[in-house]
């Protein structure tokens, strides 16, 4: 934490130096982008070009130093956060529906759904959604011909696993509806 505070102090000092250099440029009647040549391509005689170029060079160097310092601060803050952050366990998402039948060669079958899969997430619909089945129906209608992310729980070798599938709902696949499976509430 002390190292990060030192870096932040250096950042404040660099920003102050940059403001001071900008003020020096303004005292010369120019800014960072003012042309130093006249319309004929000759150095302007109304300004001190050497002083202005020196100040601009210092500005560029200080900006590069600040950019590097900001990267160091970012790295240190991430490291600090990772060491002090206590991970809170993410709550287990619960299923709200179960796949009872999957028609072969249907969009559901092609996505990898099988009978017995428990649906945890269906697009934006989850167990916390109000009236899950009405929301599931609306989600289906609103996502025809659009890939839909479906999170399922499947028992594999006696252990439940969560899988993410991409389901492309479509008409004209050779069967009824756009899904090709039956879903029951849990």
């Amino acid at each position: 934490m002390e190292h990060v505070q030192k870096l932040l102090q250096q950042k404040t000092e660099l920003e102050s130096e940059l403001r001071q250099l900008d003020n020096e440029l303004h005292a010369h009647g120019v800014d960072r982008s003012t042309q130093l040549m006249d319309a004929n391509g000759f150095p302007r005689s109304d300004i001190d070009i050497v002083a202005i170029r020196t100040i601009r060079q210092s500005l560029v160097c200080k900006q590069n130093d600040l950019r590097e310092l900001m990267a160091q601060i970012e790295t240190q803050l991430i490291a600090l956060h990772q060491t002090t952050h206590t991970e809170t366990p993410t709550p287990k998402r619960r299923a709200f529906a179960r796949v009872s039948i999957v028609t072969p060669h249907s969009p559901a079958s092609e996505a990898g759904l099988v009978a017995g899969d428990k649906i945890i997430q269906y697009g934006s619909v989850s167990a916390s959604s109000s009236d899950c089945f009405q929301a599931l129906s609306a989600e289906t209608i609103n996502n025809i011909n659009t890939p839909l992310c479906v999170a399922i729980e499947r028992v594999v070798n006696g252990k439940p696993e969560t899988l993410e599938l991409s389901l492309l709902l479509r008409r004209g696949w050779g069967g009824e509806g756009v899904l090709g499976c039956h879903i029951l509430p849990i």
Side-chain angles (χ1 to χ4, degrees):
M1 181 69 168
E2 186 177 314
H3 183 63
V4 173
Q5 289 175 335
K6 287 180 183 177
L7 291 174
L8 290 171
Q9 180 62 37
Q10 289 176 2
K11 174 186 168 280
T12 303
E13 291 168 6
L14 264 176
E15 289 172 335
S16 175
E17 291 173 25
L18 283 167
R19 279 191 299 276
Q20 183 180 354
L21 289 169
D22 270 330
N23 290 338
E24 287 180 36
L25 275 181
H26 290 292
H28 285 281
V30 297
D31 61 22
R32 295 181 188 201
S33 61
T34 303
Q35 290 290 326
L36 302 181
M37 302 293 199
D38 64 16
N40 296 324
F42 293 103
R44 289 177 46 188
S45 61
D46 61 327
I47 57 176
D48 184 354
I49 293 180
V50 173
I52 293 169
R53 292 201 50 156
T54 303
I55 294 168
R56 284 182 175 177
Q57 176 63 31
S58 294
L59 276 166
V60 169
C61 290
K62 299 279 182 197
Q63 284 176 320
N64 288 338
D65 292 346
L66 182 61
R67 191 174 299 116
E68 183 180 322
L69 184 62
M70 292 300 290
Q72 290 176 13
I73 290 170
E74 179 183 14
T75 302
Q76 291 297 317
L77 285 174
I78 289 170
L80 179 66
H81 179 71
Q82 288 174 342
T83 58
T84 59
H85 179 67
T86 57
E87 289 190 26
T88 56
T90 55
K92 185 176 189 279
R93 299 185 296 175
R94 63 183 178 91
F96 65 92
R98 180 179 56 83
V99 177
S100 63
I101 300 170
V102 178
T103 305
H105 310 294
S106 67
S109 171
E110 291 172 0
L113 282 173
V114 296
D117 286 346
K118 294 179 181 175
I119 300 175
I120 299 169
Q121 187 87 26
Y122 185 86
S124 63
V125 181
S126 67
S128 61
S129 301
S130 60
D131 197 2
C132 294
F133 270 83
Q134 187 175 6
L136 189 137
S137 177
E139 193 77 8
T140 299
I141 292 167
N142 293 331
N143 286 285
I144 295 174
N145 296 321
T146 305
L148 184 69
C149 183
V150 179
I152 61 162
E153 181 181 284
R154 180 180 293 162
V155 177
V156 178
N157 297 328
K159 294 183 180 179
E161 290 185 12
T162 301
L163 304 171
E164 301 279 335
L165 306 175
S166 180
L167 178 61
L168 182 60
L169 304 166
R170 66 184 187 283
R171 299 187 197 294
W173 57 269
E176 291 184 26
V178 295
L179 186 55
C181 72
H182 290 141
I183 299 174
L184 303 173
I186 291 183

